[in-house]
Amino acid sequence: MKPERLIHTIGLNLQRGALSRGAYLKKKKIFAQMGDYVRFQPRIVPLYPELIKFHNNIMVGSGVRFVTHDAVHSVLNRMNIGEFPEMIGCIEVMDNVFIGADSTIMPNVRIGKNVIIGAGSLVSKDCEDNSIYAGVPARKIGNFDDFVAKRLARDYASVAKNQSITEAEKANAWDRFHRNRD
């Protein structure tokens, strides 16, 4: 890892919370573009961050990897069949996107507006607006507007304050958990 990338990775790790990490990345101009209210959980600055653009209102879950290159050229170049340069590609994440934990975003991918990427997904192709994607490889599994409507119905356990849970909220979550299994 080059010194500048290492320094920014350390700086990223010193930030408290996803919103602070997003602000750090924006202030240091690490990515090609960093919009407003970008929450960034990963603790590593990807290689070639200048090939990545984030628009507004984005949540990137922990362990998400942005891959802007491949390394197959290093194998091909040792086979004496030709000279192969390193392949690179851009990544763009549009407005109102959630990328679930441990997902991988491959080069030359645009994630459209109002998109949810399920945890552990491998995104190797563009994701269309107003959609939900999941899987390896990621496939469209739902509609963003339908998801929002379900969440507005509030038929799920929740907490009133982020990262804080009351005894009543715990009891409600366990009650719902057991009720759905009886």
Side-chain angles (χ1 to χ4, degrees):
M1 187 178 288
K2 289 189 174 183
E4 183 179 24
R5 185 171 166 225
L6 179 60
I7 289 166
H8 287 310
T9 294
I10 292 168
L12 195 61
N13 279 273
L14 294 175
Q15 304 306 306
R16 291 187 57 191
L19 192 56
S20 294
R21 281 186 286 284
Y24 172 85
L25 294 165
K26 185 174 184 172
K27 178 182 175 185
K28 297 295 185 178
K29 298 179 180 177
I30 293 170
F31 292 104
Q33 177 180 324
M34 194 68 152
D36 294 328
Y37 209 70
V38 176
R39 290 146 323 214
F40 196 84
Q41 286 288 10
R43 305 304 201 279
I44 297 174
V45 174
L47 187 59
Y48 308 132
E50 57 271 30
L51 298 178
I52 303 171
K53 289 184 178 182
F54 293 99
H55 289 260
N56 302 305
N57 192 30
I58 297 166
M59 174 65 182
V60 180
S62 62
V64 172
R65 290 164 301 284
F66 293 91
V67 181
T68 56
H69 66 102
D70 77 7
V72 72
H73 68 283
S74 63
V75 172
L76 297 174
N77 285 337
R78 295 192 58 82
M79 294 175 61
N80 298 319
I81 57 174
E83 186 65 30
F84 299 90
E86 180 179 15
M87 186 279 295
I88 61 171
C90 298
I91 297 170
E92 186 170 26
V93 182
M94 305 307 282
D95 294 341
N96 309 317
V97 171
F98 173 86
I99 303 174
D102 296 319
S103 293
T104 301
I105 315 302
M106 298 300 289
N108 295 312
V109 165
R110 174 181 279 150
I111 298 174
K113 293 180 181 178
N114 304 328
V115 170
I116 296 170
I117 306 293
S121 296
L122 173 65
V123 181
S124 58
K125 295 181 180 176
D126 288 358
C127 298
E128 65 183 58
D129 293 352
N130 299 309
S131 300
I132 301 171
Y133 288 81
V136 178
R139 298 192 193 300
K140 184 176 177 181
I141 62 165
N143 177 282
F144 186 86
D145 294 332
D146 292 343
F147 177 83
V148 171
K150 285 181 186 178
R151 280 293 175 103
L152 284 172
R154 289 189 171 81
D155 188 21
Y156 55 88
S158 63
V159 294
K161 183 180 178 190
N162 187 30
Q163 297 188 18
S164 178
I165 189 167
T166 67
E167 291 299 320
E169 290 165 340
K170 286 184 230 177
N172 180 40
W174 280 112
D175 287 345
R176 285 175 171 276
F177 179 83
H178 290 294
R179 192 174 1 163
N180 290 331
R181 279 152 184 80
D182 294 339

